[in-house]
Amino acid sequence: MKLKHLSPLLLSFPIVCIAGGGHLVDERSKIAFDYDTVSSEVAQNELVECQQLATSTQSNVQDTTKGSGARGAAKGAAKGATVMAIAGESGSDGAKVGAAVGVVKGRRDSKKATQQAMANNEQQYATVLRNCMVDKKYVALN
C-alpha cells in the first residue's frame, strides 16, 4: 500500500540515462569507428575534433605541371643533340626530336609527382584520424 504513495514521488525525479553505442564513418577516409561508452553527440564532436587535427597535418600540394613541358623539352633537346653528335650527325634534328619527347615525359613525370603527393596526404590524414580516434577509445573497424 505504501507503494502507491511512492509512485508519484518517483515519477517527479527525472531518470538520467546516457545512451551509448553506435558507429561513425569518416566520409573522407571511409574509416568506420565503433563506440559504446558515449552518446552519439559526443562521438560526433570527437570525430570532428580528430578530423580537424588530421586536416591540419596536410601539406600543400601544388600543381607542378606548369613549366614541366619546357623543362622536359630542354632536357630532351640536350640529350637528343648529344646522341646525334656522338653518331656524327647534325645535333639540331636530334635536339628537335629530343625536345618533343622531353615535353611529353616532363608533363607525365610532373603529373605523377602531383598525384603521389596527393595520395601521401590522404594516407597521412587517415593515419592521424585513426590514431586520434583510437586514442579516444574508439574502435576502428577497417
Side-chain angles (χ1 to χ4, degrees):
M1 299 283 173
K2 290 185 179 185
L3 292 178
K4 287 183 181 179
H5 297 293
L6 289 177
S7 301
L9 184 61
L10 288 175
L11 293 176
S12 66
F13 290 106
I15 298 173
V16 177
C17 177
I18 298 177
H23 64 276
L24 296 167
V25 177
D26 174 59
E27 290 302 317
R28 180 171 168 183
S29 66
K30 303 300 185 210
I31 299 174
F33 298 99
D34 193 26
Y35 61 94
D36 59 1
T37 60
V38 297
S39 69
S40 62
E41 183 179 329
V42 169
Q44 188 62 44
N45 288 339
E46 290 183 331
L47 176 63
V48 168
E49 182 181 317
C50 288
Q51 287 170 329
Q52 290 171 343
L53 177 65
T55 300
S56 73
T57 66
Q58 302 293 281
S59 59
N60 289 333
V61 177
Q62 296 177 347
D63 184 12
T64 57
T65 57
K66 187 175 182 179
S68 62
R71 287 189 301 273
K75 289 178 185 178
K79 286 181 184 177
T82 302
V83 169
M84 295 302 279
I86 291 172
E89 298 182 25
S90 168
S92 64
D93 289 337
K96 291 175 187 174
V97 171
V101 170
V103 167
V104 173
K105 185 176 181 329
R107 287 191 178 149
R108 185 188 68 223
D109 291 349
S110 181
K111 184 176 180 180
K112 189 183 291 185
T114 300
Q115 289 172 338
Q116 184 62 47
M118 290 171 66
N120 289 345
N121 257 354
E122 290 307 307
Q123 181 62 42
Q124 184 173 356
Y125 172 88
T127 299
V128 171
L129 179 74
R130 179 187 307 272
N131 290 344
C132 180
M133 291 296 283
V134 167
D135 188 51
K136 293 180 180 296
K137 308 299 183 225
Y138 291 83
V139 177
L141 300 176
N142 58 341

